Amino acid sequence: MSTDAVTTDGTTGIHPGREATVGANVPPGGGGPRKAKRRDEPEFGSYYDLPVINKPAWESPDIPGYLFLGGLAGAGAAVGLAAQGTGRPGLAKVSKIGAAVAGHLSLVALVHDLGRRGRFLNMLRMFKVTSPMSVGSWLLSGFVPAATVSALSAVTGAAPALGTLASAGAAVLGPPVATYTAALISNTAVPAWHDGYEYMPFIFVSSAASAAAGLGLLGAPVSESTPMAFLGAVAGLSEVALSKVHEESIGIVKEAFHEGKAGRYMKAAEALTAGGAVLAAAGGLTRRRSLRAAAGAMLLAGSAFTRFGIFEAGISSAQDPKYTVVPQRERLEKKARKGT
Amino acid sequence: MSLLDMRFDNGQEAAAGSGYADAPPRMGFFTDTSVCIGCKACEVACKEWNQIPEDGLEFTGMSYDNTKGLGADSWRHVAFIEQPKSLAGQITGGVGMAASSGSVASVPTAPEVTAEGIRWLMSSDVCKHCTEAACLDVCPTGALFRTEFSTVVVQEDICNGCGYCVPACPYGVIDQRHGDGRAWKCTLCYDRLGVGQEPACAKACPTDSIQFGPLDELRQRADQRLAQMHSVGVGEARLYGRDPDDGVGGDGAFFLLLDEPEVYGLPPDPVVTTRDLPKMWKLAGVAMSVLGGSIAAAFLGAGRPGGAA
Amino acid sequence: MIRDLIEHWPVLRQVRERDAFGRGIAAKSKQSDNLEPRTANADKVVKSICPYCGVGCGQNIYVKDDQIVQIEGDPDSPVSRGRLCPKGAATLELSTGPTRRYHVLYRPPHATDWERLPLDRAMEMVADRVIRTRREKWQQTFKDKEVRRTMGIASLGGATLDNEENYLIKKLLTALGVVQIENQARLCHSATVAGLGPSFGRGGATTAMQDLQHSDCIVIEGSSFAEAHPVGFQWVMEAKARGATVIHVDPRFSRTSALADVHVPIRAGTDIVFLGGIIRYAIEHDKWFRDYVVNYTNAPQIIRDEYRDTEDLNGIFSGFHEKASAYENEAWLPEGMSQTTDPEDGGEKDDPEYEERLQAVKDAGTAETHGSGGAGMHGSPNTDPTLQHPLCVFQLLRKHYARYTPEYVEQICGIPRDLFQKVCEVVTSSSGRDRTTSFVYAVGWTQHTDGSQFIRAASILQLLLGNIGRPGGGIQALRGHASIQGSTDIPTLFNLLPGYLPMPHAYEHATLDDYIEGEKSGKGFWGDMRAYMVSLLKAYWGPAATPENDFCYDYLPKITGSHSTYDTVLNQMAGECKGYFLMGENPAVGSANAKMQRLGMANLDWLVVRDFSLIESATWWKDGPEIDSGELKTGDIATEVFFFPAASHTEKNGSFTNTNRMLQWHYESKEPDGEARSDLWFMYHLGRIIKEKLAGSTDPIDRPVLDLTWDYPTEGAIEEPNAESVLAEINGWDSEGSPLASYEQLNEDGSTACGCWIYCGVYADGVNQAARRKPAKEQNWLGGEWGWAWPANRRLLYNRASADPDGKPWSPRKALVWWDEEKALWVGHDIPDFTASKGPHYRPPAGATRGEALSGIDPFVMQADGKGWLFAPAGLVDGPLPTHYEPQESPTANPMYKQQRSPVRQIFRHEHNRYHPSGSEPGAEVYPHVVTTFRLTEHFTAGGMSRWVSRLSELQPEMFCEVSPELADECGLEHRGWATIITARNCIEARVLVTGRMTPLLIDGRVVHQIALPFHWGPNGYTQGDSANDLTSIVLDPNVHIQEVKALTAAIRPGRRPTGPARVELVRDYQRRAGVTAETGTEVLSV
Ligand SMILES: Nc1nc2c(c(=O)[nH]1)N[C@H]1C(S)=C(S)[C@@H](COP(=O)(O)OP(=O)(O)OC[C@H]3O[C@@H](n4cnc5c(=O)[nH]c(N)nc54)[C@H](O)[C@@H]3O)O[C@H]1N2
Ligand SMILES: Nc1nc2c(c(=O)[nH]1)N[C@H]1C(S)=C(S)[C@@H](COP(=O)(O)OP(=O)(O)OC[C@H]3O[C@@H](n4cnc5c(=O)[nH]c(N)nc54)[C@H](O)[C@@H]3O)O[C@H]1N2
Ligand code: SF4
Ligand code: SF4
Ligand code: SF4
Ligand code: SF4
Ligand code: SF4
Ligand SMILES: [Mo]
């Protein structure tokens, strides 16, 4: 019976419609739920298997390219200054050119991926520590001019003092440039990017270092590229090792790195990087030009594949609800267990 | 304060921490899905008010949901879930398939129950206007901003379509519009709020499933509603996004659901990614030192040019 | 400049404005600073009403720079409280969207495409064609009877139009002698008038939507309330919040069921068994409300002893004439009363004309004339207040429904007994002195061959339980379009004149006196019928209407049977009807047997379509399904087609009457663009041009046109007629020209004019009462000062019954109106639906007539006896008590009676209208499944107002069919795939939605599957698909000619349908397999 009454004085017992309860107003006894057989449907673990989070709007090759180029540029600039400082003009030149070109290209990739390219300057509208892309934009806005001046001076020999200053600037900004992209992709809700965020910066710097080493091995005279062989060997091996550890830390999201495009890329990355690292080590010891060149090419390609692989793993992990739901469920259960 | 301990959030009255001196009370939505009739007036009202383009004419077969989800061109999305079980005491009768004979006298009473019933859940989803909003945090241009009502809004005159907000949102809300390039989502009708008007979707909603108001009040009302639901036997009722201590500091738009969140396409335990950002920055700092260090080491180790190790 | 830029550089503002993280005020842009909603800076806000459905939600239209910039709900409305459903919310796109047309189009005979035509030229051409066809097809007599009419012209549409527009359509066309004037009401709720009218005296919903909040139990049956009237559904939620139980009885588990407490799946077309079962339960378990029943219903009346029930005659009532397939109802009458309409008058029973007359009268749709006045009867019935007399209505009722056992309910409806028991318990325990139950229905009940009787069954139950006229009680008929109630009240219907005055019938109404004497009642307010009729004639013909010439009564064309829209289609195919106006209706999609609708149109000389966009009814000649199948060739089609773009409701003034009889005025917010014009404009100027062209004619057939009053002031550049002046005519005036305040002021002597007597008062004091908008918050729940409701602004009908015979509320929690001894007046929350000063103890003196003849305990003031009719001795042509017949097409033999189908149902034998075998008839297994059709929240009717609106189309983008998992398994249907559904009329394709919401039923020992089809699609528009109505047949309820589209049979198979001639071949193939012939399913009596 309703609580409501229309008395001669007016209405009483009114409740707003939003307080309606379904199925609560059936007096007991009789009736029962529908008795027809129903097709066995799996319990819902998701909404029609649709992803929970939206697919990143970022495109390949723009964004993975940007990640790769940023790493190359950042590490390259640091290598450039070190090479200059240790009397390796050839390596310095290659690295500085590499840093400048990669820096430019990474900007181009970033701008190219913008939905409104004409508004790229808005990147400097704010400075937001919560946004690695904002931080990165500021970094790049300092880094790219510095790397450019540094490279121009190295190529033309003009304004050596300014060149050195610029090289120093680029070298200081270089490691941050190489690293912020790790924070950038980790700082998302994409399981494959976020869930192993502790490892991501280290994977990224390894990858950056192996790319820069690769460039040096490929482009610098053999006489100057020995540090790159060391760097390449160590960075390459750590990149491969870190990727493994990373994958083991992220539960089922690991699958995203092993399936589809991402799986193929990651496999290629592993092979190339590991191979490149071994060759680099060998090249470092033997000083064989061809070996170093091959090692360099493989490291560069390996680094690129790593970025593309991580990128694709992110995309596919965003498109399957299980990567979002299962880890969160586990987390909740853990919390609940702790609670009781 | 070290970077590591730092949290980037501004607390519950997020507006206050965002430079607004006399911020009005925080406004939000309580969407009570248990009274939703799945009419989609909210979807249409939103589209009309915000002049959002059409979002495709695809028959999905997902019950009556042909919108599929939130995105740049759907800022409200009504989910439809058909389940072979009954809702609380609801009686959803039907004759069993067991055999019966033709004559009146011998028609048996209904056969044994496989007792499943049927229920049809409907729920209107929307941007959560998170207390700690990942989209807003990561936006490099400041296109996304926190309003004086503590809502989260994209400014169409600023957004450059960098796309960062899209993967940042743990709920899959904001998205980039094809052909336009910018990111779009519910503004909680910021323009209307400014003159004291109710959001278009809430105004239209025929059954008050979408309730708009000061968040404090809504939270209180929701608590009462939950208690009411539980007391009448709807044990599966739960609030989602109500808790200020959850992974996003609570949602400005929260819900009463009748099943697990993932059944509605919602993440069961979303965490704003920026909670981990201080640690990411710190680790990035370590990593960049490692990078610098290893480069230096490589040169040191290699000794003078020309020489081998 | 640069400085400025730097100063506003947000990075600096981050520091300056204490927004370190840059997420708040510092990030805010200039544009955001200056944001202003267009609702706040509009130039004006115009009050309007939603143009879609009959709920009648209030709308505010925001206008800036002469453009409509936004449309939203009006929070002041007592019905909608500012809320809108998706359609209401899409009104902005409807009225301003890109798919609207703004130019006149013309298709010459045999042409393959449209051409443009200037508006004035097109108007001239149409006027010429009207004049020509009218003359060519003039009928002065029909079978020796004066009819003064033309069957050459027909018109269809009105439910989307304003009352004022309907008024002009009916007025002009009637003067022209056109009788085939029809609108959606025929297809939609005509059965409502026939069901409610004879039961209670008026054919409208007895209650107001807001009053549902006071119900203790709400039974929604034959309606998907939450989907088809979503904003009205808020009142169900309100009732639920207070503890009411909500029961939904529906073949489908719909969005309404999802919110109900109980869902009862039922086989389509079997509701009389279900309702009859509850009636039986109430009687057997003594759960009926004795004091109410004895005093307020005809339960004590003693019926003539010649009466024989279906119990006695195996499924038919006494008085049946097989040749005429009609009843003669004399034996149904109470002792002591006689009937006013008697086909026996003027002829002996063995007169060969008798059967023809019986048939013609049956077909004339008289049941609908009880929209505001029960069936006419004279005398006083003999009664037995103890209800013991074996021939008293109560005992007859008990006997009739004794058969409606739970076992039959289970066997026929497919409802398990325990569930049925539950429903009986809830409904009866939520009724009585202290509690009230309301019933809500819509077209799930009306669209059956015995739909009027479904509604009768509910009426009987509600009377038995004492639920009529009381808060939270009543029968809520949820009507369809924005003003379908209005287009029934001011009817664009063949059988009615405004205010439910019957259209004169050639057989019975030769003169005004015949007409009045034949129709009016001795008692009750219908007794003043002459005053209503004379005032109408004065409104039509003004000074030309004098007492000497019977007020031009003979100017009215006469009907001779059924001239419903379905008869018109056959007339078109037969070449009789040559000109056709479609003013806001889309029969090529919306009417049953859509193919016949199109074939009929292909046989016209000319067709005028007035609509917003190019609906299917305007383009069938170039891209209709028959062009594809080769059944028609564009070049062969001689029909001239005129398309006139219509103005939308935002572009005109006028009133809509909502489902609760409430008139609401909507204001023009801008002039229509281009050549778009209102229907008021069209009719007015068409009439003006025709009158000009006929000026000086001496032909007597032109007199009614020339004498017609037609001088409405026009306004603005487009010369729009003033709608309020039409409303003033509808309201009526006295001899001084002053507006009348009430129909009680109407006179028989011609001193008053009134275009629609039941609307008299809507312009009282010269004030547009329909435009009243006192906010809901400032009045009680009935909102009596919002708009204006007929009759006399009463919101809950028969509300005298809310008080006991002594005039006191039955219960302190159910008070509505009561007798105030001190004031000697009826007072309360609503305007009493009773003579305010007539005390409860008043008893009429002997010989009293009209209103005086009703006693203080006669709440049903429009009834001849003042009582609610449990038993309807008159008023319906298919029986005094609802009786279960199987639908025309059914999977089962009628388990209850030998009579399979209603013996008086109206059938149409035509090669394109073949019926299926039923039950055990051979071939029935070829079409084994039940099909029912329904609506989606997201679409509207035949789609003209939703399939061209992107916002709605994207929500339901394709035609689909709902099937159970079991049926899908059985037939190999794949979810999301395609299915072809086949009947003897046509086949269509639809996407497959396999859903547990559809459940197979166990019927008579056999599993029966139901397939549900939305009927909104057609081949044009933003979203396109096949039309469900290509499957349906024309088979009608004999009372009101409504089509049975809610229960038919069909075959289904996986995959898409064939195209081209193969489509027709497939249909023929199934016909052959089932042995379908011209005779299939057309028998009158079952053998
Ligand atoms: N969204 C929307 N709203 C509308 C309309 C629209 O097209 N779309 N149209 C308007 C119009 S014109 C009208 S008339 C109304 C109609 O409003 P409704 O009558 O509510 O609409 P329908 O969906 O056609 O039919 C109602 C229900 O009847 C069920 N039904 C079918 N056969 C039977 C039967 O034999 N017995 C019982 N008990 N139930 C049965 C159907 O499954 C369906 O759920 O809606 C109006 N409002
Ligand atoms: N199978 C099946 N068939 C059915 C039904 C069913 O349930 N099942 N329901 C039936 C019912 S209840 C109904 S009411 C009918 C409805 O069937 P229709 O009335 O044929 O369908 P609508 O699409 O409403 O057509 C109304 C047209 O009027 C136009 N219009 C709107 N406003 C105006 C105006 O101001 N002026 C003019 N000139 N035009 C205007 C609209 O654009 C639209 O094209 O369908 C019936 N057919
Ligand atoms: S739900 Fe997503 S889009 Fe909305 S505020 Fe939170 S993070 Fe941003
Ligand atoms: S896409 Fe626009 S709103 Fe999203 S993060 Fe980039 S600039 Fe901000
Ligand atoms: S608040 Fe406004 S913008 Fe957000 S969903 Fe509702 S109508 Fe759309
Ligand atoms: S408007 Fe309200 S009832 Fe309709 S779908 Fe949206 S939330 Fe549900
Ligand atoms: S379609 Fe009916 S319920 Fe919907 S807004 Fe219009 S009048 Fe209201
Ligand atoms: Mo209708």
Side-chain angles (χ1 to χ4, degrees), chain B residues 6-10 16-21 34-41 43-45 47-67 73-74 80 82 87 89-111 118-122 133 136-137 141-148 153 155-158 190-192 194-195 197-198 200 202-208 228 274, chain C residues 17-19 21-32 35-40 60 62 70 72-75 82-86 89-94 226-227 230-231 233-234 237 241 252-255 257-265 405 407-408 410-411 414-419 422 895 934 936-938 950-960 962 966 975-976 991-997 999-1002 1004-1005 1007 1009 1022-1023:
Chain B
M6 182 163 172
R7 270 182 61 173
F8 290 153
D9 68 293
N10 287 331
S18 305
Y20 298 98
S34 69
V35 294
C36 174
I37 55 172
C39 71
K40 308 181 193 166
E43 289 194 26
V44 175
K47 286 208 156 193
E48 285 283 52
W49 176 249
N50 297 296
Q51 293 296 305
I52 302 171
E54 182 231 296
D55 202 8
L57 294 169
E58 187 203 351
F59 173 82
T60 65
M62 294 158 43
S63 189
Y64 279 0
D65 176 5
N66 292 300
T67 306
D73 296 334
S74 298
F80 289 79
E82 300 177 13
L87 176 64
Q90 193 183 31
I91 298 176
T92 53
V95 166
M97 303 291 294
S100 174
S101 70
S103 88
V104 178
S106 61
V107 171
T109 44
I118 173 122
R119 65 179 195 174
W120 200 3
L121 308 180
M122 299 154 208
L136 160 54
D137 286 346
T141 63
L144 272 154
F145 83 120
R146 174 90 50 197
T147 72
E148 61 272 36
V153 174
Q155 305 177 99
E156 58 183 71
D157 54 329
I158 304 298
Y190 182 47
D191 45 356
R192 298 170 65 100
V195 297
Q197 290 174 353
E198 187 183 4
K203 182 173 178 190
C205 179
T207 56
D208 252 357
Q228 182 202 10
T274 15
Chain C
E17 295 173 32
R18 288 166 211 277
D19 181 14
F21 289 122
R23 291 183 297 207
I25 199 161
K28 195 171 179 185
S29 74
K30 264 223 179 84
Q31 187 175 313
S32 300
L35 216 53
E36 210 186 8
R38 54 190 196 277
T39 37
N60 285 332
Y62 298 83
Q70 174 70 357
E72 282 179 18
D74 181 349
R83 307 171 191 183
L84 293 175
C85 80
T91 320
L92 178 62
E93 189 185 343
L94 174 77
E227 296 181 290
V231 180
F233 194 73
Q234 66 181 281
M237 299 303 278
R252 306 178 305 123
F253 185 94
S254 75
R255 280 176 269 200
S257 326
L259 274 291
D261 295 300
V262 182
H263 171 244
V264 182
T405 58
E407 288 73 22
Y408 266 131
E410 181 165 276
Q411 186 187 353
I415 300 168
R417 264 179 269 171
D418 59 344
L419 179 60
K422 179 97 209 170
F934 71 101
L936 293 163
T937 317
E938 301 88 340
S950 70
R951 308 253 183 262
L952 297 173
S953 297
E954 61 181 326
L955 300 177
Q956 291 289 2
E958 278 184 75
M959 171 67 184
F960 61 90
E962 292 190 349
E966 290 86 349
H975 183 59
R976 296 190 67 211
R991 300 295 296 270
V992 178
L993 190 75
V994 179
T995 166
R997 294 183 292 101
T999 181
L1001 298 174
L1002 194 62
D1004 205 4
V1007 173
H1009 295 291
Y1022 213 88
T1023 147

Side-chain angles (χ1 to χ4, degrees), chain A residues 1-4 6-7 11 14 16-17 20-23 25 27-29 34-35 37-39 124-127 138, chain C residues 9-11 14 22 27 214 216 237-238 240-242 244-245 261 418 422 435 812-815 829 966 969 996:
Chain A
M1 186 172 109
S2 169
T3 57
D4 155 297
V6 186
T7 70
T11 47
I14 307 281
T21 46
V22 174
N25 302 344
R34 162 171 292 183
K35 289 146 188 156
K37 272 201 199 97
R38 289 279 151 247
R39 172 172 288 172
L124 302 182
R125 191 174 165 264
M126 322 276 306
F127 177 79
W138 285 99
Chain C
W9 192 21
V11 173
Q14 279 179 257
H214 300 308
D216 294 284
M237 299 303 278
E238 206 93 353
K240 269 182 81 46
R242 299 169 205 181
T245 309
D261 295 300
D418 59 344
K422 179 97 209 170
R435 302 183 188 186
R813 65 184 292 265
K814 297 285 172 185
H829 305 304
E966 290 86 349
D969 281 350

Side-chain angles (χ1 to χ4, degrees), chain A residues 34, chain B residues 93-95, chain C residues 220-223 248-253 263-276 278 408-410 412-416 419-420 444-445 448 454 884 930 932 997-1003 1008-1010 1046-1047:
Chain A
R34 162 171 292 183
Chain B
V95 166
Chain C
I220 303 167
E221 182 172 353
S223 143
H248 188 217
V249 187
D250 200 295
R252 306 178 305 123
F253 185 94
H263 171 244
V264 182
I266 188 173
R267 174 166 65 96
T270 65
D271 297 63
I272 291 178
V273 181
F274 177 79
L275 293 166
I278 309 177
Y408 266 131
V409 172
E410 181 165 276
I412 297 174
C413 309
I415 300 168
L419 179 60
F420 178 66
W445 274 1
H448 295 278
F454 283 36
H884 172 66
V930 174
T932 189
R997 294 183 292 101
M998 294 299 292
T999 181
L1001 298 174
L1002 194 62
I1003 304 297
V1008 169
H1009 295 291
Q1010 307 198 85
K1046 282 289 185 265

